[in-house]
Amino acid sequence: MNKNTVLAWATTIMIVMGLLLIGLGAFRYNEVAGWGFAAVGVGFLANAWVFSSLKGRV
């Protein structure tokens, strides 16, 4: 596995985790904790975007 493959897997895992956390915040927790889960999920998606943009540059 080269660097681009590792970044691609990291991006995929972070997208899945981000969507999972946003889903938990939206459907499982109806209180203030849901906002926290959704905010962390958006953070995961932002990190995945950064990893995706780094492919081919590292």
Side-chain angles (χ1 to χ4, degrees):
M1 286 176 50
N2 58 8
K3 293 178 282 190
N4 289 333
T5 307
V6 171
L7 284 172
W9 276 106
T11 301
T12 305
I13 291 169
M14 292 193 82
I15 288 173
V16 169
M17 283 301 297
L19 294 176
L20 180 74
L21 287 169
I22 291 172
L24 276 174
F27 299 114
R28 175 70 173 96
Y29 297 103
N30 294 328
E31 299 172 358
V32 178
W35 290 99
F37 273 99
V40 171
V42 170
F44 266 87
L45 292 180
N47 282 336
W49 177 54
V50 170
F51 282 171
S52 177
S53 68
L54 282 176
K55 281 192 300 187
R57 297 180 188 268
V58 177

